[in-house]
Amino acid sequence: MKPVNKSILLCLGLLLTALPACKKDLIKLNDNPNGSNPATINPNLVLSTVLTQAGIEIVTLGYQDMAGVMQHTQKDGWTTTHNEYDWAGTNSWTAYYDILRNNQLVYDRAVTLNNELQQGVSLVMKSMMFGLITDLWGDAPYTQALKGQLGGTDNTLPVYDPQQVIYAGILADLDKANTLLSKSKSEYTNPIDAVDVYYSGDPTKWRKMANSLALRYYMRLSEKLPDVAKVGIEKIVGDPAKYPIITDASEDAAMSFPGNSNADSWPANATYDSDSSGYRRLKMCNTLVTYLQARHDPRLGVWANKVQCFLRIDNNQPPGTGNVYKPVDTVVNGENRKVRYISPDVLAAKGLTLNDINQDIDYVGLPPAIPGPAVYNLSPDASQASRNPHVSWLNDIYKQAKGPLLKARLISAAEVHFILAEAAGIKGWAAGDAETHYNAAIKASLTTWGLAGYYAAYISQPAVKYNHTQQQIVEQKWAASWTAATEAWADFKRTGYPQLHAGPYAKGPVVPVRLYYMLEERNLNKANLADALKRLEVTNYSSFGANGAQNSPWSKPWIIQGTGKPW
């Protein structure tokens, strides 16, 4: 055997001696100094994500498919989910629960650090997001939700709380938030100015948002639990010092968009869409257009473009006129416009009558859920997301990634005043003067869209002047919910207004009242989901659902069971 080289032994000895130190250093290297440790993170770093993502999700929902359900808009390309409620038997709430998990981290860290401002804000956001979930689906994981990191079946497969439990929890959290947010800004040691994209760290405005949301959810309960709703609304209105609310458009909970990339821009803008089809496929819906036109509503011109070329059926034109799209220059009310003259024989050859087309000079909406919306009103372009010159596209502002009117609006002064108008004028509760609130709601909405100067003329019209009916209040609220149609859907389910009619290609003969429970829950959380499904009320329309009658968009959740609404 060869003798061992002493230099090798020396090196081995040094290596063995160094191992414990190397292990210690490696542990230090694996601790990422730039990582987010939930146990030590500054809650403000997460709060910014909660607020921005919530704003994006809510406006995307209210501007996109919910706008289709509530017939603010229709699409003439990729129409199924928007126009027809063809939701493929599943709707995901993952993005909303992701926001809630981050929000829970904010709250937990704020409690540890005794940051009352962050606690109050996170309770407001928790209430809004859980309110959105239960409004959309019905029963949902609530008391056992957001605990998956703890492990165990109860936490990873949470029960579905009944809707009434969720609403009660929301109202309790908002009441707690009102207390936490009751101090002056200087009394909070950890400001949120730099990350608060709604209110720049103003606790007074957050407090108003908390109490305004409470009004929203008390009104939700007004048909099922009228005594609870009455006491809650009268408590808030009766003590404005203790329960301040949003009363002016400047106090709206709203978020602007930086517009630096598609991720932080107005949804379906054309700036970051190479073919602009996201913007182009959205057209005004005839339901909203005719409502606004009947009231000479100035908001229509802010939300929509006039048709690029209006139609005119002319008996004096030679046969074959207008069979090929050849617009003619004309002047209407001193404005240069284009018109397409059509001889009656061309219309007849296409199997159409005067009732099948819309000759309005200015604004033409797509009827809801019609076959072939791309070719409606003699469009010369039959492609998906057509460039139809004979219907109203959305205003050019919606092509942009950002702008002064492009905001995610989570709750507004208009909504609050409409709630109080209904509470006082229809329910008979002590909520102030109904007409005063109704007028203030309309003024707030016009102000939001830069139209405050039109208020006096608008409100004086017989069709607009307060007439003491729930239909008028809720329909005006529906119009004012432009780009925030999710709230209008909740009101429709509760009241039946506006009286919407599903189009001929809709998946059901009436407008649906909920979303499908998602496929992942049906696969992984079967037992708890089964209990929730049993609590849904199967209706005469439930069979139109794509996932069986129980988990159907036409099966009623608790909040509207027994009310006879909306149909």
Side-chain angles (χ1 to χ4, degrees):
M1 179 179 293
K2 294 183 179 179
V4 178
N5 190 306
K6 290 183 179 181
S7 61
I8 294 176
L9 287 174
L10 179 60
C11 288
L12 286 172
L14 290 171
L15 179 61
L16 291 171
T17 303
L19 276 176
C22 290
K23 182 178 180 182
K24 183 178 179 181
D25 289 340
L26 284 171
I27 292 173
K28 288 182 178 178
L29 287 172
N30 284 330
D31 185 7
N32 181 4
N34 298 316
S36 298
N37 185 339
T40 60
I41 193 171
N42 182 336
N44 280 4
L45 298 178
V46 185
L47 180 59
S48 62
T49 298
V50 170
L51 300 182
T52 54
Q53 287 304 119
I56 289 169
E57 292 294 339
I58 288 171
V59 75
T60 299
L61 187 65
Y63 178 63
Q64 293 278 16
D65 284 350
M66 286 305 106
V69 172
M70 290 311 297
Q71 298 178 14
H72 284 176
T73 57
Q74 291 285 281
K75 288 184 177 180
D76 54 13
W78 297 275
T79 63
T80 53
T81 61
H82 195 89
N83 301 7
E84 301 162 18
Y85 335 127
D86 187 4
W87 298 327
T90 184
N91 300 103
S92 177
W93 57 31
T94 298
Y96 308 146
Y97 276 104
D98 286 345
I99 292 167
L100 283 164
R101 272 189 291 274
N102 282 329
N103 188 67
Q104 187 65 46
L105 174 58
V106 173
Y107 181 78
D108 291 342
R109 287 292 295 145
V111 169
T112 299
L113 298 171
N114 197 30
N115 292 350
E116 290 185 329
L117 178 57
Q118 284 89 338
Q119 289 177 49
V121 168
S122 61
L123 286 176
V124 173
M125 297 306 296
K126 174 188 176 185
S127 300
M128 188 176 62
M129 295 310 299
F130 270 120
L132 179 66
I133 288 169
T134 195
D135 285 344
L136 294 177
W137 279 273
D139 298 354
Y142 178 65
T143 56
Q144 290 180 204
L146 315 178
K147 299 178 180 178
Q149 76 280 5
L150 300 177
T153 301
D154 289 346
N155 296 319
T156 56
L157 300 175
V159 299
Y160 283 53
D161 290 279
Q163 236 183 353
Q164 55 268 49
V165 171
I166 301 174
Y167 285 125
I170 287 169
L171 290 166
D173 280 341
L174 290 171
D175 196 59
K176 184 177 179 180
N178 176 60
T179 301
L180 288 165
L181 297 166
S182 61
K183 298 178 182 179
S184 64
K185 186 174 182 179
S186 62
E187 293 179 85
Y188 296 101
T189 57
N190 299 98
I192 61 172
D193 301 38
V195 300
D196 180 5
V197 293
Y198 303 166
Y199 290 132
S200 300
D202 187 339
T204 300
K205 289 184 178 179
W206 275 103
R207 191 183 186 196
K208 290 182 177 183
M209 182 180 174
N211 295 319
S212 299
L213 282 172
L215 292 176
R216 171 189 286 181
Y217 294 113
Y218 278 125
M219 187 54 74
R220 283 282 194 282
L221 295 169
S222 62
E223 299 298 321
K224 291 291 289 189
L225 300 174
D227 292 341
V228 171
K230 178 179 185 292
V231 169
I233 288 178
E234 290 184 344
K235 174 190 72 174
I236 292 171
V237 176
D239 194 347
K242 185 176 180 180
Y243 297 102
I245 58 176
I246 296 170
T247 58
D248 188 84
S250 63
E251 300 168 333
D252 289 0
M255 183 186 83
S256 299
F257 290 85
N260 297 319
S261 69
N262 199 45
D264 65 7
S265 296
W266 181 257
N269 68 85
T271 305
Y272 295 103
D273 188 337
S274 59
D275 66 359
S276 72
S277 64
Y279 162 79
R280 199 172 70 245
R281 76 186 69 168
L282 273 173
K283 304 295 192 298
M284 298 297 295
C285 181
N286 184 61
T287 309
L288 180 61
V289 169
T290 55
Y291 176 87
L292 297 174
Q293 284 178 317
R295 291 156 181 81
H296 306 285
D297 198 311
R299 291 172 293 187
L300 180 55
V302 178
W303 300 340
N305 283 336
K306 293 180 180 180
V307 292
Q308 297 163 26
C309 176
F310 62 90
L311 299 179
R312 186 61 71 235
I313 308 301
D314 190 343
N315 294 327
N316 297 318
Q317 294 292 330
T321 299
N323 191 47
V324 177
Y325 175 60
K326 290 183 178 180
V328 177
D329 291 330
T330 188
V331 176
V332 179
N333 297 324
E335 181 183 8
N336 293 327
R337 301 288 301 279
K338 292 188 180 296
V339 58
R340 178 183 176 186
Y341 290 106
I342 309 288
S343 56
D345 64 297
V346 169
L347 203 64
K350 297 179 181 295
L352 300 173
T353 69
L354 290 176
N355 292 329
D356 297 316
I357 62 170
N358 189 329
Q359 298 183 71
D360 193 274
I361 292 174
D362 292 325
Y363 297 99
V364 173
L366 281 173
I370 58 170
V375 296
Y376 175 71
N377 223 28
L378 301 180
S379 172
D381 179 5
S383 64
Q384 292 269 36
S386 73
R387 300 180 183 274
N388 189 344
H390 305 312
V391 299
S392 290
W393 298 27
L394 271 57
N395 192 300
D396 284 356
I397 62 174
Y398 298 106
K399 291 181 181 180
Q400 307 305 315
K402 61 181 179 180
L405 298 181
L406 301 184
K407 296 182 180 181
R409 190 161 278 102
L410 288 73
I411 188 166
S412 67
E415 179 187 340
V416 171
H417 283 299
F418 279 127
I419 289 169
L420 297 180
E422 185 179 355
I426 308 306
K427 306 295 184 183
W429 301 340
D433 180 71
E435 185 170 3
T436 299
H437 282 303
Y438 171 82
N439 291 345
I442 290 175
K443 187 173 185 179
S445 180
L446 292 175
T447 300
T448 293
W449 298 102
L451 299 166
Y454 290 83
Y455 168 73
Y458 182 71
I459 201 69
S460 66
Q461 297 179 89
V464 178
K465 186 176 175 60
Y466 182 60
N467 67 8
H468 304 273
T469 65
Q470 185 185 49
Q471 180 173 0
Q472 183 192 46
I473 294 170
V474 176
E475 286 183 350
Q476 279 284 353
K477 190 179 177 187
W478 161 72
S481 70
W482 171 258
T483 71
T486 309
E487 186 59 26
W489 195 30
D491 282 329
F492 166 76
K493 291 182 281 187
R494 178 177 62 84
T495 68
Y497 298 121
Q499 295 175 331
L500 302 177
H501 301 284
Y505 262 41
K507 296 304 175 184
V510 292
V511 175
V513 294
R514 60 179 294 274
L515 299 182
Y516 293 103
Y517 286 123
M518 58 195 288
L519 182 61
E520 290 88 340
E521 287 290 300
R522 303 204 301 263
N523 288 337
L524 300 175
N525 200 6
K526 292 181 181 179
N528 290 321
L529 176 57
D531 289 338
L533 289 172
K534 292 175 185 176
R535 295 193 289 267
L536 287 168
E537 177 187 317
V538 174
T539 70
N540 293 335
Y541 304 110
S542 295
S543 60
F544 292 97
N547 184 241
Q550 203 73 47
N551 185 27
S552 169
W554 291 273
S555 291
K556 291 187 175 182
W558 170 82
I559 196 69
I560 55 173
Q561 290 174 9
T563 66
K565 303 292 175 59
W567 29 256

